Each structure stands twice: as structure tokens, then as C-alpha cells.
Amino acid sequence: MLKKLASLLFIFVLALPLQAQQPKKLNASQIHDAVKKLNFLGTVLYVAAHPDDENTRLISYMSNQVKARTAYLSLTRGDGGQNLIGPEIRELLGVIRTQELLAARSVDGGEQRFTRANDFGYSKHPEETLNIWDKDQVLSDVILAIRQFKPDIIINRFDHRTPGTTHGHHTTSAMLSVEAFDLANNPNIYPEQAKTHGTWQPKRQFFNTSWWFYGSEENFEKADKSKLLNFDIGVYYPSKGLSNNEIAALSRSKHLCQGFGALTQRGSQTEYIELINGDLPKDKTNLFEGIDTSWNRVKGGKTIGDILKKVETNFNFENPSIHVKDLLLARQLIQQLDNDYWKNYKTQEIDAIIEACLGLYLEASASTPTASAGETITLNIEAVNRSPINMELVSYQLSTDKTATLKALPLKNNDKQNVEQSLTIPKNIQPSSPYWLNKKGTLGMYKVEDKNLIGKPETPRPISVTFNVTINNQPFSVTKPIVYRYSKPDKGELYRPFEIIPEASAKISEKVIIFDSDQQKDISVIVKAGRDNLNGFVQIAHPNNWSVFPEKQNIDIKYKGETQTLTFTVIPPKNQNEGLITPMVHVGEDVYTRELVEIDYEHIPYQTVVLPSESKVVRLDIKKRGENIAYIEGAGDVVPESLRQIGYNVIVLNPEDITTERLSAFDAVVVGIRAYNILDELKFKQQILFDFVENGGNMIVQYNTSHRLKVDQLSPYTLQLSRDRVTDENAEVTLLEKDHPVLNYPNQITKTDFEGWTQERGLYFPNQWSNKFTPILSMHDKGETEKQGSLLVAKHGKGYYIYTGLSFFREFPAGVSGAYRLFANMLSIGKDNLDNKEQFKD
């Protein structure tokens, strides 16, 4: 019953909201909550390092209970993490995690900001972090966030005083936040930025502490709490039918690629924050003590406050439109404020409230989800006034046009107006894509040429429509991005963002192409049309010592969205070598060398990403033994495809397929990353797998974490996982057992095979193991002791059990030669006298 309830709740979490880009339609309770928030003039900035670092309980509390404008500043987009829901890693994972953060904020009521810092993977110390990040740029971005958002209160997720005790990114986020606290108010610090956005001095800064940071609840009870504020964040909101901690859990469950879908919680719960800058409030439940958060905060605000307090106190839940007259008056007074920050923000808030009180529905839906430069599409423009108030659609204006289209359409109560409008996409418009990926950055930093985009969570929508209406003869404007609205029989009404795509894009079907000999290979180039009647030809740019035939091939694609696949033959050099190849699509005088990547998950909006189209070709000196490999998928990687590249027959097995009879067809079984963390069924299959090894098969288990391990016995012998890892991808590797078969057969492994590794050496190494295991490698990060658990090999019966924390799942997509050679040895060990097995069948 509990499992069924959890499943139902998980479905509910996904459906709240399922389509993050669907227009918001506020009910009366939500409008009233928005009016309450309109009457609060205070700001909170929460600071941490990654998506899922944020405390959604506190963000929700500040936004929904305190009513403060609340934002989360995540220094990175989480590109260096793992992906539990699909194969995307690195920059594409960052795109997913960005959208998951936005989905989380849509639930808890916060806003989202970023810096240009790139999550390069786990870091053990802020010193290492700041050697890879450009401190000046990241600090500049933190100060920019403070100057733009103007927080009264800053809350850090992590402790700036404890470097080396947690992820280096974590501590660095707190250290930079503390450094920026006063610098943001100095006009001589980043003076051009200060000239544009002004300076700002936050009132207070806190560290969001808990018993966890003290080591135990007992230690926390004994600790000095004189500088701690506390709140009961379990408060219940009758207008929402949810408690704060329920909202927080729903928000956190948006981080699905990190595996944070969880049951909601209810009841009283205390949250603590420790003062680290500014004065300590006397009331330790009121972090805004001494800060005027009423409309009296701004000159001329008292009259506005009086009007809006009347609306809040006498709110008509049956007919919110009766408040529009007062709201319009308050809006006029807001426009007269000399405080640009509050004028601009409160205008956005009150405009949304007026629109909701009117039941005003305005939409511009494109006839197609995508279009390319120069293409003409049709827009369906819809306007409905669902109130008795006299309104008129005076005009509307596309963001691509200099002049508005006059209409003078009366908007009578619940009388829908539809207008069709043709739109020709400007020739100079850029494709829709995450702005931080438009230019090649560095390991630690994204390159953003347009300074106006720095900090924004996503690229502004390419084309919007401004609706100019009158409300009782008073002018009022609403701007909406163009969307694509459609339906599916099995899902109903759906929305997608309207995107600009290149008229031609191309990709090579594999990102890494391995040549295990000097024999040629055929590769597939897939060309996608961004418009109808695409004609041209394709060439392949390649290194000088590689050859590609034919030199070029023609393309002729009739309809937009269709693809044409071309086959080219690639001839590698005789000796080991590597390089990049890029398809070049010639259309008229234009050449397109980029790939269109589409990301489609139900819990986030559909994403289109335009990236350089290139594949790595590797002429690899590699030998192998064995043919047939069973792969048990874990959290998502490209290891099966990579092993096929070097000639193995790889079949992916579901846990229910693991039987003695089924495994008898295979030479080896490879278990995917974190499989033992996410597949409950494996605990019933371990003995079958161990018997497979005992009977002569090889079993390779890739990294798992000790947290949430689904099995009691990970290997046939004692094996204890730890959090040991080596994050420096260039860390020296010592070959402990130079004569061991795994380092010599069929490929001789040397230190050169560990050159060119990316992001890290490996993670979550075992730190205790049975003497049945032989540790093969030793490595360590700077200033640390040797770690010998990255590759452990044990003979078990006639076969071999191998546990490895080496990050093959990162090295294979990067085409690292040594990683392929070592993995081939792991699969081949003990196969020098391989029996002739019957060719397995799928």
C-alpha cells in the first residue's frame, strides 16, 4: 500500500505542473496571495553552488509565509553531476538541471539566477575550485546578482569558515558571498557594473545551519545559539491546501535527474540560520526586524500602501474584478515612484494581478513549434476578457516589427476574439539556444559575450507579442512570448516553447568513432531541414592524415523537420591517432556546421540546443578477447555503445532477464553506474551473477555509492565502499601490479594510457576489501594519501569479479584511448584460452 501511495504521489509531483511553459492561470486564492506579496517590500537572496543545493523549505517559507521576494543564486548549472533519467552529461545535463531549477521555483515561489561558473566536477577544496574558476568573473557575477536583486537578506547554504570539509564548490559559494557582502556597495569595485546597476548594501547575512554541520544532534543541542535565528517552516497554508514543507518537497522533487523525487512531509519543523554579517535581530524569529517592508519604505508609497491594503483586507473571492479600479490607480502611482527598483518590480507584480483579476487571456500561438530565419509562419492571436469590465484590444505589436497592428476590437465579457497574423522570421535572428553555450568556454567558465544576459536563467524568448488594451479607457499592456499549443489524444493540451532553429543542421550518428585497425568504416551523417525545400551539399572536415570519401554529397529535403542520411567512408591512418571531424552543410552561400539537439522530458519544457557538430575519430591500437557482453543499465551512460565501437556484441539486459540460462551466452557482464543504487530487483539476482563468474564469466561492476545501496553483498567477497575519489584528471597513476594480466593482456597498459582523461580519475572507491582482491592502481589528489581502490580484481572460481570506480562513463564519450584499452583488458582477462561458444542470439 505504501509503495502504491508513493507511486501516486510521484505522479502528482510530476503533474504539478507537468508542462512548465503552460500559461499561469491564477485562481482567486492565488490572486489574494499575490496581493499580500505585493504589499511586502523585502528581498532575500539564497546562495549555494549547484542545482539541488538549495533549501527549498526556507525558500518556500520566505516566499510564501514571509512574502519576501526570494531568489536562489546557484553559482553553477550542475553540469558536472550524474544523470539518472537519461544519457545527457556535461553541458546538456546543465541545460536539464537549469530547467529543473526553474520548475522547482515555479512550485516554491522563488526566482532563479546563475553565474558563469561551470561545474567541472567534484572539487575537494576551494583552492582547487578557484584555480579552475576565474575568481574575478565569478565574484563579479555574485556582486552583480546583489546589485540587481538588491537583497535585504543574504542566506548562504554552506559555511565559509570550513574549507576542505565539503565539496569545494560549496564552500567557495559561501566564501564569495561573504566577500561580496560589502564589496557590492563599493562603487570602485567593478565600476562599469556599478554605474549601470548601482551599488547595494545588504542588511544582514546568514549561514543556513543545522545539526548536520555540528556532527550530531547532541552536539547541536550543546552549541551556543546566541547568533541563531529559527523558524517553524512547517506552517500550513489554508489558501493552498498545503503546508510549507509539502510545497518544499514538491519543489525538490523537480530535481529528477539527480534522483530527488520524494514523499512530502507535514508537521512542525524548525529551521536555523546563523548571523555572520550585520546586526542581530532581537526577535530571533524575524530576520527582517528593523527593515521597513511596508510601502512606507519608498517615498510616495504610503498612498499606494493604503489603496492596496484595502484591496487585501476586503478582497472579493467571488469577483476579483471589482478591485481592478483600485489596482489601476495604485499602478499609476507606482509609475511615479523615484525608486526604479521597486517601481519596476512592483509594476510587474501588479500587472500580473490586474490581468488575473480580469480573467484576461492573451495568447499568440504559432502554427509550428519551430521556424528558421526568413520563413513565414501563421500566428493565432487569442484575446478573451472574462470579466464585466469594459475593455478593448487597441492593437498588438510583434517584437520583430517597428509598428503595431491596429485592431480596435471590443473585448466583451467572455467573447473570444481570434486574429490570424502572418509572421516572417527576420533574416538576422539567431537560433534559440542556451546563451551560455553559444561560445566555447573553458573547463571552469562559460563565455558570455552579451553582458545583459549574465545571471539570467535562460535565453529570453526569441519573439514576443505586446497586447495593447484599454480597461475602462485606461491603457494597459501585456507582453507574451509566442508559444506552440497543440494536443495529443493520449495527453490532451500541450505547450512547447516556440523556437528559432537553423535552416540546416547536421550530426554524425556517433560522437566517438573508434577504429581498432586501419580498416575503413562507414559513418552516417544525418542532415535535418529547418525549412521546406532544403537543397545543397555536405562535406566532411577532417584531419589531414585521415581520408573521407566521397568528397561531397548532395541533399534534397522536401519538408521542414525531415532528415536525410548520407553515408561517408572514413579511412584512418596506419598508426594510433585521433582528431575531430565535422559535417559542413552548404546551402547557397551559407555553410552550417552546427547540430540541433532536442531534449524532451515531461517535467521540463522542450529544449532545443544548437551546438558545434563534431565527432572524435580515434585510430586505436587495441586488442580484445571475448565477443558477447551483457550490460545491466544503471543511472545512464554510453558504455554499451562505446563497447560496440570496439567490436563487442553488447546486449542490454533488464534485471528480470538475468537468469542462469540467459547469462550462459555471454563472456562478461558489465553493470552500469549506480545500478545497485537504483535497481531494487538486483538484490534478487546477485547469486545468479556470482555463479556466472564462478563458472568462468567476467563481471565488471562500475561505481556505486554506499548511500541507498540496494544489496547487502556487492561482491562475492568483502568489499566496503567509501567516498574516496580522485578529482584531478591529471593525477599521477601508479601501476601497483605491473605483471597482473589486467595490465598486460591483450593490451599492455602503461602510464600513457592515463593521459587525456577528463573531469576526474574516478569516484567512490572502496577503502576496505578482502584479500581475495588485488588492487591494481594507486592514485591521489594533491595533499592526500594514496587511494588504491580504483580498480580491484578478484578471481572467483573460473572467472573474475572486477570492481572499478574509474570514470569510464566520462572517458568513453570523450574518446580517451587508454580507457578503451584498459576496459578491453578487463573484459578479456582469463580469456586467453576462450572456449568456442555458440554465437549468442538476441
Side-chain angles (χ1 to χ4, degrees):
M1 179 64 185
L2 183 60
K3 187 174 181 181
K4 183 177 181 181
L5 179 63
S7 299
L8 289 172
L9 181 59
F10 182 74
I11 292 169
F12 173 67
V13 167
L14 289 181
L16 191 66
L18 181 63
Q19 291 291 327
Q21 66 270 38
Q22 190 169 1
K24 292 182 178 180
K25 303 166 189 173
L26 303 183
N27 60 40
S29 292
Q30 291 169 323
I31 297 172
H32 187 234
D33 282 343
V35 173
K36 289 181 179 179
K37 199 160 187 174
L38 183 63
N39 283 328
F40 189 94
L41 279 69
T43 51
V44 176
L45 182 65
Y46 197 90
V47 181
H50 311 107
D52 72 41
D53 282 347
E54 80 274 26
N55 184 341
T56 55
R57 299 183 304 273
L58 198 50
I59 290 175
S60 177
Y61 182 86
M62 292 301 160
S63 178
N64 295 297
Q65 176 66 12
V66 178
K67 305 299 182 186
R69 184 186 186 190
T70 308
Y72 173 40
L73 173 62
S74 176
L75 266 59
T76 77
R77 296 176 185 268
D79 317 68
Q82 282 84 51
N83 184 0
L84 295 183
I85 62 174
E88 297 88 357
I89 59 174
R90 294 301 304 145
E91 67 272 6
L92 293 179
L93 177 59
V95 173
I96 293 172
R97 298 189 75 183
T98 294
Q99 291 300 320
E100 288 184 338
L101 274 176
L102 289 172
R105 300 292 80 77
S106 73
V107 173
D108 60 37
E111 301 173 41
Q112 188 60 51
R113 294 189 61 98
F114 294 96
T115 75
R116 287 169 287 176
N118 188 349
D119 178 4
F120 56 82
Y122 191 85
S123 173
K124 294 181 176 177
H125 199 279
E127 181 181 345
E128 178 194 25
T129 299
L130 292 174
N131 282 337
I132 298 175
W133 288 353
D134 184 322
K135 180 187 175 182
D136 183 68
Q137 288 187 18
V138 182
L139 178 61
S140 165
D141 292 354
V142 175
I143 290 175
L144 175 66
I146 294 172
R147 287 171 171 172
Q148 287 182 331
F149 192 74
K150 304 194 183 308
D152 298 308
I153 308 296
I154 295 177
I155 303 175
N156 297 336
R157 184 68 182 106
F158 300 104
D159 192 346
H160 66 288
R161 299 159 296 194
T162 55
T165 60
T166 182
H167 197 318
H169 297 180
H170 292 170
T171 312
T172 301
S173 71
M175 291 168 61
L176 293 179
S177 177
V178 170
E179 189 173 351
F181 182 80
D182 289 319
L183 292 181
N185 199 37
N186 186 339
N188 297 318
I189 301 297
Y190 308 114
E192 288 301 316
Q193 183 194 96
K195 185 177 179 181
T196 302
H197 303 287
T199 58
W200 184 254
Q201 181 59 62
K203 180 74 171 177
R204 299 183 181 107
Q205 188 173 44
F206 297 91
F207 158 48
N208 184 193
T209 190
S210 71
W211 69 262
W212 189 87
F213 290 97
Y214 289 78
S216 69
E217 294 187 54
E218 183 180 2
N219 290 342
F220 184 61
E221 287 298 322
K222 298 175 182 177
D224 177 12
K225 297 183 179 62
S226 59
K227 289 190 175 183
L228 266 59
L229 276 67
N230 63 85
F231 319 98
D232 181 0
I233 52 85
V235 60
Y236 177 70
Y237 305 123
S239 64
K240 302 177 187 296
L242 293 168
S243 63
N244 186 75
N245 35 21
E246 285 177 299
I247 292 172
L250 293 171
S251 171
R252 191 155 182 79
S253 288
K254 292 298 181 183
H255 295 296
L256 294 184
C257 73
Q258 299 300 294
F260 283 112
L263 290 170
T264 56
Q265 297 178 351
R266 284 151 293 279
S268 180
Q269 187 174 356
T270 303
E271 194 72 44
Y272 294 91
I273 56 175
E274 176 191 355
L275 182 76
I276 53 177
N277 266 315
D279 62 308
L280 184 69
K282 294 179 181 178
D283 179 358
K284 292 193 175 182
T285 64
N286 181 12
L287 79 171
F288 277 98
E289 183 182 83
I291 302 172
D292 190 349
T293 58
S294 73
W295 276 101
N296 293 327
R297 179 172 188 161
V298 292
K299 183 180 179 181
K302 184 179 185 308
T303 304
I304 300 170
D306 290 343
I307 295 170
L308 294 177
K309 194 64 180 177
K310 176 184 170 185
V311 173
E312 179 185 333
T313 303
N314 302 309
F315 189 77
N316 189 320
F317 289 86
E318 293 290 331
N319 182 18
S321 67
I322 70 169
H323 301 295
V324 169
K325 181 179 178 181
D326 286 338
L327 290 168
L328 286 171
L329 177 58
R331 186 185 189 279
Q332 288 179 345
L333 295 173
I334 290 172
Q335 304 314 299
Q336 299 171 20
L337 294 176
D338 59 7
N339 184 312
D340 287 339
Y341 174 80
W342 287 115
K343 178 176 73 175
N344 295 334
Y345 179 64
K346 291 302 177 181
T347 296
Q348 293 175 27
E349 282 192 312
I350 201 168
D351 282 358
I353 291 170
I354 292 170
E355 185 181 348
C357 285
L358 291 165
L360 181 59
Y361 189 86
L362 301 169
E363 181 179 271
S365 178
S367 55
T368 175
T370 62
S372 60
E375 184 179 356
T376 298
I377 65 170
T378 300
L379 296 180
N380 178 49
I381 294 175
E382 179 180 337
V384 188
N385 166 28
R386 291 173 286 190
S387 77
I389 294 178
N390 179 41
M391 292 186 64
E392 181 180 73
L393 176 61
V394 178
S395 64
Y396 59 84
Q397 184 173 357
L398 297 170
S399 59
T400 54
D401 290 346
K402 294 181 179 179
T403 58
T405 300
L406 300 177
K407 279 298 167 188
L409 291 173
L411 297 179
K412 298 177 182 178
N413 185 16
N414 216 27
D415 183 15
K416 183 174 72 171
Q417 295 287 350
N418 276 106
V419 178
E420 279 199 354
Q421 167 82 41
S422 65
L423 165 63
T424 299
I425 309 300
K427 285 283 190 182
N428 61 349
I429 198 167
Q430 294 299 308
S432 307
S433 193
Y435 69 85
W436 61 94
L437 299 179
N438 286 341
K439 297 291 182 179
K440 187 175 179 61
T442 64
L443 174 64
M445 297 299 299
Y446 283 118
K447 184 176 182 180
V448 180
E449 293 185 334
D450 185 348
K451 293 182 179 179
N452 294 320
L453 294 175
I454 294 173
K456 292 183 181 296
E458 57 184 343
T459 308
R461 303 315 309 160
I463 305 176
S464 60
V465 178
T466 298
F467 297 84
N468 302 306
V469 303
T470 56
I471 307 170
N472 285 335
N473 297 317
Q474 294 188 50
F476 184 75
S477 296
V478 179
T479 299
K480 300 285 187 180
I482 294 176
V483 296
Y484 175 63
R485 182 164 64 103
Y486 63 109
S487 67
K488 287 186 175 181
D490 58 337
K491 293 188 178 180
E493 183 179 66
L494 298 170
Y495 280 80
R496 270 183 58 175
F498 172 71
E499 306 278 28
I500 305 299
I501 62 173
E503 66 172 341
S505 58
K507 66 177 181 179
I508 297 171
S509 54
E510 286 107 10
K511 286 300 172 188
V512 175
I513 306 168
I514 303 295
F515 294 78
D516 56 2
S517 70
D518 61 359
Q519 297 300 304
Q520 66 188 35
K521 278 189 178 183
D522 289 341
I523 65 167
S524 296
V525 176
I526 303 167
V527 181
K528 186 169 187 176
R531 62 168 173 82
D532 291 342
N533 300 314
L534 184 73
N535 297 288
F537 66 91
V538 178
Q539 291 179 303
I540 302 288
H542 57 84
N544 289 334
N545 51 347
W546 294 70
S547 299
V548 176
F549 295 99
E551 183 179 341
K552 64 180 181 179
Q553 295 189 59
N554 293 330
I555 54 167
D556 184 2
I557 306 176
K558 189 172 183 180
Y559 296 113
K560 179 173 74 173
E562 290 188 344
T563 61
Q564 183 176 340
T565 301
L566 307 173
T567 300
F568 287 85
T569 300
V570 178
I571 303 174
K574 294 288 185 183
N575 300 316
Q576 186 158 309
N577 190 269
E578 61 184 48
L580 297 174
I581 59 175
T582 296
M584 304 168 62
V585 184
H586 296 256
V587 180
E589 296 182 356
D590 297 317
V591 180
Y592 297 92
T593 59
R594 298 176 81 81
E595 168 186 358
L596 181 67
V597 180
E598 296 168 303
I599 301 174
D600 186 12
Y601 292 104
E602 287 189 332
H603 67 299
I604 61 173
Y606 196 98
Q607 299 293 299
T608 59
V609 186
V610 181
L611 295 174
S613 181
E614 56 186 25
S615 291
K616 188 173 184 179
V617 286
V618 181
R619 166 65 176 96
L620 184 59
D621 179 13
I622 188 171
K623 302 179 182 67
K624 63 183 181 64
R625 296 293 183 272
E627 295 292 336
N628 306 322
I629 309 299
Y631 197 87
I632 303 168
E633 288 186 319
D637 56 52
V638 295
V639 172
E641 298 92 321
S642 302
L643 296 179
R644 293 184 187 112
Q645 286 267 6
I646 56 175
Y648 282 104
N649 298 314
V650 183
I651 295 297
V652 175
L653 292 186
N654 295 318
E656 59 267 24
D657 299 326
I658 301 173
T659 64
T660 300
E661 182 180 5
R662 189 78 170 96
L663 293 183
S664 66
F666 298 99
D667 300 305
V669 173
V670 180
V671 182
I673 59 174
R674 296 183 68 177
Y676 288 110
N677 296 131
I678 64 175
L679 298 177
D680 290 288
E681 301 92 333
L682 285 184
K683 60 188 171 186
F684 306 115
K685 302 294 182 176
Q686 281 296 80
Q687 192 57 53
I688 296 174
L689 291 167
F690 295 159
D691 290 345
F692 166 76
V693 178
E694 193 168 15
N695 291 327
N698 290 342
M699 181 177 177
I700 299 173
V701 178
Q702 298 176 87
Y703 95 91
N704 287 264
T705 68
S706 57
H707 181 57
R708 295 179 180 174
L709 202 61
K710 304 290 186 181
V711 295
D712 296 326
Q713 190 176 359
L714 192 62
S715 88
Y717 309 113
T718 301
L719 186 70
Q720 184 69 47
L721 300 182
S722 74
R723 297 186 63 83
D724 287 351
R725 62 201 301 161
V726 175
T727 60
D728 181 1
E729 65 268 35
N730 298 311
E732 184 178 358
V733 176
T734 300
L735 309 182
L736 296 174
E737 298 289 336
K738 293 183 179 180
D739 295 329
H740 195 282
V742 81
L743 294 180
N744 292 278
Y745 182 81
N747 306 287
Q748 185 174 8
I749 303 300
T750 67
K751 287 190 175 184
T752 60
D753 287 293
F754 294 93
E755 295 175 359
W757 284 52
T758 64
Q759 188 162 332
E760 62 198 354
R761 288 295 189 196
L763 62 171
Y764 299 110
F765 300 160
N767 62 352
Q768 297 179 44
W769 51 82
S770 162
N771 59 12
K772 298 286 187 178
F773 282 103
T774 300
I776 304 299
L777 307 173
S778 176
M779 58 191 71
H780 66 93
D781 282 323
K782 182 180 178 181
E784 294 194 352
T785 58
E786 293 286 336
K787 305 293 186 293
Q788 297 187 358
S790 64
L791 180 59
L792 302 171
V793 181
K795 190 82 164 65
H796 181 59
K798 299 177 182 178
Y800 287 84
Y801 177 96
I802 299 175
Y803 188 92
T804 179
L806 294 172
S807 57
F808 291 102
F809 72 103
R810 296 198 190 280
E811 311 316 318
F812 284 171
V816 177
S817 300
Y820 280 91
R821 286 163 44 82
L822 178 56
F823 210 95
N825 279 17
M826 291 156 58
L827 292 169
S828 302
I829 189 170
K831 306 298 183 186
D832 48 332
N833 294 312
L834 188 68
D835 294 332
N836 291 324
K837 293 188 176 182
E838 181 183 352
Q839 180 69 19
F840 80 108
K841 298 178 181 179
D842 185 3

